[in-house]
DNA sequence: TTGTAAGCGTTATCAT
DNA sequence: ATGATAACGCTTACAA
């Protein structure tokens, strides 16, 4: 039975030597047997395995790492844990590394460069095999530098250095997708209310929206893009302003679910029915917002968990000697709820010419 | 200059031997000098420090840990990263351990006991010095068991084993506080709409509310507690049902901010002004909900970040040989916004008798 | 197939 | 004050 330092009498941990002794072999043989090396007599292996089992042997990862020269750990350096975008990315990464028997060190720099350096040092000193830098906003960030002893992957916020590998969300494609969906719902008079113009993502999403509209020979209604802030109250205010300017609209693409929620409220206060009169699509697929609004909000999902997984896989590849470079943009998908209503589903019909 | 395995030619990492060689001392002396031991000649120490600096020496934490028998790491075992309650706790813990030069391994069991066991093994194999188990809901959970080789602190979800140390939020006190605040706002006809009756926290908060009311010689309006689910839509539905039953109420205590938000919406749809006619207080202080509702929502804050810090401190103490046991309940505080309006501030007046 | 022995990078003990 | 030397627990040549 394993003993406890927590409450019972503390006792030496079980080591490979204990296992070897019990199985009556050398530590070298015990090591080989446990690590599935081929040059071990099946009978011997069985004895070793049984001994390890009986003693509940668990190899000391530090010792193993020390001799192997790799720790089997990676550092997750986030800029802002509070931001709700980091979380799904962390989860995706955690998931992907789990399969890999790689453990994660979590560090939160709280948006402070000093603290980031501090954590970076700590992580390197812990001999992490690689780093994932998770940004808080979709805009680019300073590189950690080209001279690190381990590979780095930037997730969500791309690195400014093109020689680094970054995995980000394709906001232009996201914007396209949103408008595409509204067009598929039969809407043509589409307005776009979005967040902080200081964010690259605002402009990217707007560009995707405009591009898709242009392809359909259309333009944004309401005299261009309404930039503001990523809040519900801006969504409300912008909608009021928009309606003062024109009521000739049949859909709104909101740059975030929070904004969309404000849009929904004011549209309905103003007597417009959603989705009958005006359809609304958001961005983020933030369940508690999108799922609980009235009506439930259709939205664009950035698939951040997949982004985290992808970042983990890329890092694993880089650690294995296959580094990447440049910025990889991952796609979004539409999650349809009740604020948009696609026209009759064409999937079963033969493709139309053109 | 430090060289890179990432993009430049890889080269051996700098070790203590390199530093010692450059400073022309033995590794033993170099170690003492760098670790601030007293028995080192100031001149020698300066030479060593300079050498370490020049080589950007960073000690290998695995080697150090192997030799010291402690890793300087702890495991953070969460049941559900998605849940928004884990996050602030993680941040608090991260913060507290940061001061301590302790690094955190992050593991998410996703509510699965098998996965939890798997992670537990991995963490022990990594020689963590202790564990924090962060629950997803405030109800108690199975203990990890009494026979672990390292101390454990349970945060948010207490362990069912009273011999374990758990740090949780005092929901009874939170409920009291909410009602206390409404009373201080001059309200006496208070209804309580809360979430899932399967959660202990629902009952605890309700009990706190009732206790405080009883002390004031009052009872809940609306025929007792309205249990349901932790959603906005339940908040809306419950409010409609409540208003059908009675309009003789001047305040609502909602069991969560999401519920409160639904309450706010329906009260106002029904022509009641908030806070003039009915005041509303929520629970959680979930900024994006409470801060963006109309009017902005007063609410009870569980101070989860402080809880995380406290858990970290307790674990540090336990690792140092001062284990604790039992359940520690931490207090809440009211965050006042616009959905409640306290009467004239009495703080500057002399205390009233009684 | 098995065992011996030399590391991995650090700290601690104990001479000097 | 300084320096050999032996751990710490594991892997891996290399020898037997």
């Amino acid at each position: 039975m394993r003993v406890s330092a927590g409450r019972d009498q503390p006792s030496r941990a079980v080591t490979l030597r204990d296992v070897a002794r019990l199985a009556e072999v050398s530590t070298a043989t015990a090591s080989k047997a446990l690590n599935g090396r081929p040059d071990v007599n099946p009978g011997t292996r069985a004895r070793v395995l049984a001994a390890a089992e009986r003693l509940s042997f668990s190899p000391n990862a530090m010792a193993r790492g020390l001799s192997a020269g790799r720790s089997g750990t990676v550092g997750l350096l986030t800029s802002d844990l509070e931001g709700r975008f980091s979380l799904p990315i962390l989860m995706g990464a955690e998931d992907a590394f789990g399969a890999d028997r790689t453990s994660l060190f979590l560090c939160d720099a709280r948006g402070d460069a000093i603290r980031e350096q501090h954590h970076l040092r700590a992580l390197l000193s812990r001999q992490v095999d690689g780093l994932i830098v998770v940004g808080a906003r979709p805009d680019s960030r300073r590189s950690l530098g080209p001279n690190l002893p381990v590979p780095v992957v930037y997730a969500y916020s791309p690195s400014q250095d093109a020689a680094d590998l970054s995995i980000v969300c394709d906001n232009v494609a996201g914007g396209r997708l949103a408008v595409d969906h509204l067009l598929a719902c039969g809407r043509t008079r589409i307005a776009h209310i979005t967040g902080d113009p200081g964010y690259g993502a605002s402009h990217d999403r707007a560009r995707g929206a405009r591009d898709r509209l242009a392809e359909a020979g259309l333009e944004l209604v309401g005299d261009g893009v309404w930039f503001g802030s990523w809040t519900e109250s801006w969504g409300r205010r912008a909608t009021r302003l928009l309606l003062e300017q024109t009521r000739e609209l049949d859909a709104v693409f909101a740059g975030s679910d929070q904004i969309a929620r404000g849009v929904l409220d004011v549209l309905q206060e103003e007597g417009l029915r959603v989705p009958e009169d005006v359809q609304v699509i958001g961005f983020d697929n933030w369940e508690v917002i999108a799922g609980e609004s009235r009506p439930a909000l259709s939205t664009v999902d950035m698939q951040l968990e997949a982004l985290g997984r992808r970042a983990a896989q890329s890092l694993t590849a880089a650690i294995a000697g296959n580094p990447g470079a440049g910025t990889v943009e991952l796609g979004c998908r539409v999650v349809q709820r009740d604020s948009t209503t696609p026209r009759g589903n064409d999937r079963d019909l033969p493709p139309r010419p053109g």
Side-chain angles (χ1 to χ4, degrees), chain A:
Chain A
M1 189 182 82
R2 197 69 180 277
V3 275
S4 153
R7 296 215 295 273
D8 297 1
Q9 68 288 27
S11 102
R12 236 189 72 273
V14 176
T15 77
L16 186 60
R17 289 182 54 156
D18 300 320
V19 175
R21 192 145 34 211
L22 181 57
E24 300 183 295
V25 295
S26 70
T27 60
T29 303
S31 172
K32 289 171 198 159
L34 289 171
N35 291 312
R37 299 320 239 339
D39 49 355
V40 174
N41 182 302
T44 311
R45 164 162 296 141
R47 279 209 327 280
V48 173
L49 257 37
E53 175 71 17
R54 249 192 74 203
L55 301 175
S56 343
F57 169 71
S58 154
N60 182 322
M62 290 192 317
R64 193 202 284 259
L66 188 55
S67 88
R70 3 187 3 272
S71 61
T73 64
V74 309
L76 232 50
L77 201 45
T78 78
S79 335
D80 178 17
L81 254 189
E82 251 184 305
R84 65 183 181 286
F85 300 116
S86 316
L87 248 250
I89 301 176
L90 294 202
M91 290 184 58
E94 205 261 359
D95 191 44
F97 281 125
D100 215 7
R101 324 201 125 284
T102 298
S103 296
L104 271 57
F105 280 116
L106 176 66
C107 296
D108 183 7
R110 283 167 176 65
D112 176 4
I114 308 282
R115 221 192 281 254
E116 184 172 275
Q117 276 303 313
H118 167 78
H119 277 137
L120 177 58
R121 271 182 224 286
L123 287 169
L124 292 177
S125 148
R126 296 224 178 260
Q127 311 297 115
V128 293
D129 299 330
L131 290 169
I132 294 187
V133 179
V134 184
R137 15 184 305 181
D139 291 300
S140 71
R141 53 151 289 150
R142 251 187 45 260
S143 173
L144 243 35
N147 286 25
L148 292 164
V150 295
V152 182
V153 173
Y154 296 80
Y156 198 63
S157 289
S159 162
Q160 270 150 18
D161 184 343
D164 288 323
L165 174 59
S166 305
I167 316 283
V168 303
C169 166
D170 188 341
N171 282 295
V172 177
R176 286 185 78 75
L177 215 52
V179 167
D180 206 21
H181 179 70
L182 293 175
L183 292 172
C185 293
R187 303 298 160 133
T188 55
R189 304 197 52 79
I190 302 173
H192 183 32
I193 297 173
T194 193
D196 191 331
Y199 278 60
S202 314
H203 298 278
D204 290 343
R205 290 171 193 171
R207 183 148 61 83
R210 283 188 144 129
D211 287 356
R212 183 64 188 85
L213 280 172
E215 287 171 19
L218 297 169
E219 285 192 343
L220 281 175
V221 161
D223 201 22
V225 182
W226 295 74
F227 290 100
S229 66
W230 301 108
T231 60
E232 218 171 311
S233 53
W234 164 244
R236 291 193 290 256
R237 194 148 59 84
T239 305
R240 272 186 221 106
L241 295 169
L242 172 64
L243 290 179
E244 275 171 25
Q245 196 190 294
T246 174
R247 296 186 76 106
E248 294 285 307
L249 81 173
D250 58 19
V252 177
F253 166 31
S256 80
D257 288 348
Q258 277 188 277
I259 292 173
R261 180 116 198 213
V263 172
L264 283 180
D265 282 354
V266 170
L267 285 175
Q268 291 173 112
E269 275 172 27
E270 296 290 324
L272 293 163
R273 293 167 307 165
V274 180
E276 295 83 351
D277 301 326
V278 181
Q279 303 202 1
V280 177
I281 187 166
F283 208 104
D284 291 345
N285 191 27
W286 192 9
E287 294 277 347
V288 290
I289 301 290
E292 290 281 316
S293 62
R294 285 184 297 177
L297 184 68
S298 295
T299 187
V300 176
D301 185 317
M302 291 188 279
Q303 308 193 91
L304 294 174
E305 203 165 328
L307 195 157
R309 268 196 298 273
R310 176 65 176 273
Q313 288 156 357
S314 302
L315 185 59
T316 302
I319 291 170
N322 305 302
T327 297
V328 176
E329 296 189 307
L330 264 37
C332 303
R333 81 196 158 92
V334 168
V335 175
Q336 202 236 311
R337 293 200 179 85
D338 305 327
S339 65
T340 61
T341 52
R343 286 174 154 183
N345 193 326
D346 293 342
R347 267 174 294 185
D348 299 328
L349 304 178
R352 280 176 296 193

